């Protein structure tokens, strides 16, 4: 038995000016062949779960590639092919099954459906190959993805702390199908709903209700997997938005019924999927009155974990202007600033034009650096291993990293984009976040994986950036219409 296990992941923000070229995947960690196996075996990723299942079967494991990059603009065709071709070549060489760790919102220069295109090409080579697929909760599900695999599932948590579990669940379905124990059939559909990522936390309503319905459905006889995808609204493609997929053991009618039940609830809750804004100055002023820390301040419009530039200084400037003290920031992307701090050396004072290096034409914004003065506190290579519940065991490469201490604020400055979902973003540079009064995090929901246990309160700060939750700033051209909230739809 030869089992192909591969990872090919990118969440594409089509409004982002950051290019997803091959170097961006290498910066995160693009591994080929045996190096892919070494990098992800034993981790809390679907890839790790697949390997464990394959080893238990005594199968020969083929790992052509494991590649991921932080979200950004469309993937270049070259980068896409560097990931896809090793997978296709492995299929050509002959395998008995494939277990794929994908995302579901990959847009490339030559295709709006990166995952569907890959799966279709696999099926062209081997039409009967058993294929299991895990997808991110923010997947924009397409018919091409579903038609070209055997069984498909998505994460049920955001932050994504169940990646290993769903990988094991769908991998087991595939193995049982190969053994003749089950006959997977799938039913999927989407709602005319373009919900916002900031409203998709699975500990919160309305997403909590949809996840509960999925878990309840999986307890019903014959239901092998049920997934409610929040979708990724910042990918302007036809199929963006909320969707549902159900896998049953040979019962198409049951799959359709469960699908329709969950989709109907998503539509019923549509208004709750839209974020309500509060003026930035008002929120920072509110934060200043909070005495017990850490207070988590979310600079969510500049979240590189959804494709933002991570160098917008709007929120940081307002916090400094209002005089908040004992603040730590994770993180500002500015490789040039890091180089200046390296030249200055630890303990020396420096004035920087920090951030604001990237224009954002899709929302009509130009980069605006902020002049800050402080002391170079720390310099590191930016490498550390995640010990928290999300991406457990995975090595992080922030690139050359520095900490600037302004007196009131310690700013972590990185050379590679990295969303702060684990406290290691601070502890790796000598900051103990649990003792800070305020933590500014360029994150939306993933911060909860590492920081929810220590945060005493959380405020969303509506700054600028291409992960904005203000639909008035985004020009959609490809998404199917009509769709809520871009169009007001009747209940019927």
């Amino acid at each position: 038995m030869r089992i192909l296990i591969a990872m090919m992941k990118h969440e594409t923000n089509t409004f982002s000016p950051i290019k997803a070229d091959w170097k961006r995947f290498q910066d995160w960690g693009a591994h080929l062949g045996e190096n892919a196996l070494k990098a992800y075996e034993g981790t809390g990723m679907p890839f790790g779960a697949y390997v464990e299942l394959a080893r238990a079967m005594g199968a020969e494991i083929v790992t052509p590639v494991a590649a991921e990059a932080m979200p950004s603009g469309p993937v270049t065709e070259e980068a896409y092919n560097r990931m896809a071709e090793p997978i296709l070549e492995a299929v050509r060489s002959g395998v008995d099954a494939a277990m794929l760790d994908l995302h579901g919102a990959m847009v490339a220069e030559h295709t709006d459906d990166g995952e569907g295109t890959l799966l279709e090409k696999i099926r062209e080579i081997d039409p009967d190959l058993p294929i299991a697929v895990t997808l991110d909760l923010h997947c924009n599900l397409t018919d091409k993805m579903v038609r070209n695999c055997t069984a498909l599932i998505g994460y049920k948590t955001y932050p994504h702390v169940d990646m290993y579990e769903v990988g094991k669940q769908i991998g087991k379905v595939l193995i049982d199908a190969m053994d003749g124990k089950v006959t997977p059939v799938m039913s999927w559909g989407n709602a005319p709903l373009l919900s916002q990522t900031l409203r998709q936390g699975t500990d919160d309503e309305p997403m909590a209700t949809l996840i509960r319905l999925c878990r309840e459905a999986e307890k019903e006889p014959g239901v092998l997997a049920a997934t409610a995808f929040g979708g990724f609204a910042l990918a302007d493609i036809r199929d963006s938005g909320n969707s549902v997929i159900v896998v049953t053991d040979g019962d198409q009618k049951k799959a359709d019924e469960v699908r329709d039940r969950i989709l109907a609830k998503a539509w019923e809750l549509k208004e709750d999927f839209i974020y309500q804004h509060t003026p930035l100055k008002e929120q920072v002023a509110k934060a200043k009155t909070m005495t017990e820390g850490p207070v988590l301040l979310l600079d969510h419009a500049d979240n590189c974990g959804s494709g933002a530039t991570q160098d917008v200084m709007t929120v940081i400037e307002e916090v400094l202007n209002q005089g908040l003290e004992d603040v730590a920031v994770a993180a500002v992307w500015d490789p040039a600033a890091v180089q200046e701090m390296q030249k200055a050396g630890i303990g020396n004072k420096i004035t920087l034009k920090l951030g604001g290096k990237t224009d954002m034409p899709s929302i009509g914004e130009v980069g605006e650096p902020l002049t800050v003065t402080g002391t170079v506190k720390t310099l590191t290579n930016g490498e550390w291993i995640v010990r928290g519940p999300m991406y457990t065991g995975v090595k992080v490469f922030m690139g050359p990293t520095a900490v600037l201490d302004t007196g009131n604020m310690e700013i972590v400055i990185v050379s590679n984009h990295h969303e702060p979902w684990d406290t290691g973003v601070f502890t790796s540079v000598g900051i103990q976040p649990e003792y800070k009064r305020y933590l500014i995090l360029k994150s939306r929901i993933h911060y909860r994986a590492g920081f929810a246990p220590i945060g005493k309160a959380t405020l969303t700060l509506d700054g600028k950036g291409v992960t904005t939750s203000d639909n008035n700033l985004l020009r959609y051209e490809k998404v199917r219409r009509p769709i809520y909230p871009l169009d007001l739809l009747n209940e019927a």
Side-chain angles (χ1 to χ4, degrees):
M1 178 74 70
R2 298 184 81 226
I3 295 182
L4 185 161
I5 298 173
M7 183 173 81
M8 176 175 164
K9 293 170 114 166
H10 187 260
E11 183 177 82
T12 305
N13 180 336
T14 58
F15 301 100
S16 173
I18 306 295
K19 181 187 290 188
D21 56 12
W22 182 237
K23 182 181 183 302
R24 188 166 181 82
F25 285 88
Q26 289 177 309
D27 287 344
W28 178 265
H31 309 279
L32 302 176
E34 282 296 314
N35 288 332
L37 183 62
K38 291 176 183 177
Y40 285 100
E41 182 172 11
T43 66
M45 306 290 286
F47 191 108
Y50 291 156
V51 171
E52 184 175 314
L53 287 170
R55 290 216 185 279
M57 296 172 65
E60 178 186 348
I61 299 172
V62 182
T63 55
V65 64
E68 182 174 11
M70 286 302 292
S72 55
V75 177
T76 65
E77 186 171 3
E78 185 221 4
Y80 182 93
N81 289 334
R82 279 179 177 259
M83 295 180 285
E85 279 305 318
I87 297 173
L88 299 177
E89 187 55 39
V91 176
R92 292 187 192 101
S93 72
V95 293
D96 297 296
M99 297 181 178
L100 302 177
D101 183 356
L102 307 178
H103 185 285
M106 179 186 287
V107 180
E109 292 174 335
H110 62 298
T111 173
D112 281 353
D113 184 1
E115 293 83 0
T117 297
L118 172 69
L119 291 165
E120 185 177 60
K121 288 183 177 180
I122 292 174
R123 278 280 191 245
E124 289 172 357
I125 299 168
D126 188 344
D128 299 318
L129 184 69
I131 303 172
V133 176
T134 54
L135 296 171
D136 194 285
L137 180 137
H138 306 299
C139 159
N140 292 320
L141 194 61
T142 70
D143 184 62
K144 191 181 289 188
M145 293 181 203
V146 179
R147 280 190 292 107
N148 291 289
C149 72
T150 307
L152 183 154
I153 195 172
Y155 311 152
K156 288 185 176 65
T157 60
Y158 180 31
H160 309 321
V161 297
D162 66 335
M163 292 187 282
Y164 173 89
E165 286 77 11
V166 297
K168 199 158 190 181
Q169 181 179 350
I170 208 66
K172 186 68 164 58
V173 169
L174 188 75
I175 293 168
D176 286 348
M178 294 168 67
D179 289 342
K181 297 177 181 177
V182 298
T183 305
V185 298
M186 296 186 285
S187 180
W188 85 282
N190 51 25
L193 171 59
L194 196 64
S195 69
Q196 294 176 322
T197 312
L198 197 57
R199 299 292 300 140
Q200 292 176 6
T202 51
D203 289 333
D204 312 325
E205 295 297 349
M207 205 67 198
T209 289
L210 301 188
I211 299 303
R212 175 178 56 79
L213 292 177
C214 288
R215 294 193 186 282
E216 290 174 354
E218 288 181 338
K219 295 177 183 178
E220 297 178 25
V223 178
L224 303 175
T227 305
F229 292 108
F232 186 57
L234 292 169
D236 181 19
I237 63 172
R238 183 192 180 278
D239 289 302
S240 284
N242 291 64
S243 62
V244 170
I245 188 165
V246 179
V247 187
T248 62
D249 181 9
D251 192 340
Q252 190 66 56
K253 183 178 179 181
K254 178 70 172 179
D256 292 346
E257 185 272 321
V258 175
R259 173 204 64 193
D260 290 344
R261 182 197 318 164
I262 302 172
L263 279 174
K265 178 59 70 170
W267 179 246
E268 178 186 326
L269 298 172
K270 62 184 180 298
E271 292 181 9
D272 294 332
F273 276 108
I274 310 305
Y275 175 70
Q276 303 301 316
H277 292 264
T278 305
L280 176 59
K281 287 188 177 181
E282 182 180 318
Q283 286 289 80
V284 175
K286 181 178 180 180
K288 195 172 183 179
T289 67
M290 297 178 171
T291 57
E292 186 178 7
V295 178
L296 309 180
L297 306 176
L298 305 182
D299 187 0
H300 62 91
D302 193 33
N303 166 32
C304 73
S306 292
T309 62
Q310 203 181 357
D311 69 344
V312 180
M313 303 300 292
T314 309
V315 165
I316 292 171
E317 182 176 20
E318 185 61 33
V319 169
L320 286 171
N321 287 344
Q322 291 203 31
L324 276 66
E325 299 178 347
D326 197 19
V327 184
V329 180
V332 173
W333 175 76
D334 193 335
V338 174
Q339 291 177 12
E340 289 184 56
M341 294 172 70
Q342 288 174 330
K343 291 177 183 177
I346 292 175
N348 292 311
K349 199 169 186 179
I350 189 172
T351 297
L352 297 168
K353 289 187 177 297
L354 184 61
K357 303 295 194 298
T358 317
D359 295 337
M360 297 164 281
S362 67
I363 59 171
E365 295 287 345
V366 297
E368 297 182 10
L370 178 66
T371 300
V372 290
T373 298
T375 302
V376 179
K377 182 179 180 182
T378 309
L379 295 171
T380 78
N381 65 3
E383 296 182 12
W384 49 279
I385 295 175
V386 177
R387 300 301 183 191
M390 180 177 161
Y391 279 75
T392 308
V394 174
K395 193 169 187 178
V396 170
F397 302 92
M398 299 191 299
T401 297
V403 177
L404 182 72
D405 187 350
T406 70
N408 287 342
M409 182 182 289
E410 292 180 323
I411 307 173
V412 180
I413 308 168
V414 297
S415 298
N416 294 336
H417 292 95
H418 179 71
E419 182 181 355
W421 63 65
D422 188 85
T423 55
V425 72
F426 287 120
T427 58
S428 67
V429 293
I431 297 173
Q432 295 178 286
E434 64 271 29
Y435 298 114
K436 287 291 180 181
R437 185 172 175 186
Y438 302 102
L439 299 174
I440 298 178
L441 303 173
K442 286 183 177 285
S443 179
R444 278 173 157 159
I445 303 292
H446 279 326
Y447 76 91
R448 294 179 181 178
F451 294 94
I454 65 173
K456 297 299 189 293
T458 303
L459 293 175
T460 52
L461 303 187
D462 298 346
K464 297 177 182 179
V466 294
T467 58
T468 178
S469 294
D470 185 351
N471 284 322
N472 294 320
L473 298 177
L474 303 173
R475 180 180 172 185
Y476 284 92
E477 297 177 345
K478 293 185 177 182
V479 72
R480 64 194 186 281
R481 305 294 285 266
I483 193 165
Y484 185 88
L486 306 184
D487 311 290
L488 295 178
L489 303 178
N490 295 326
E491 288 296 328

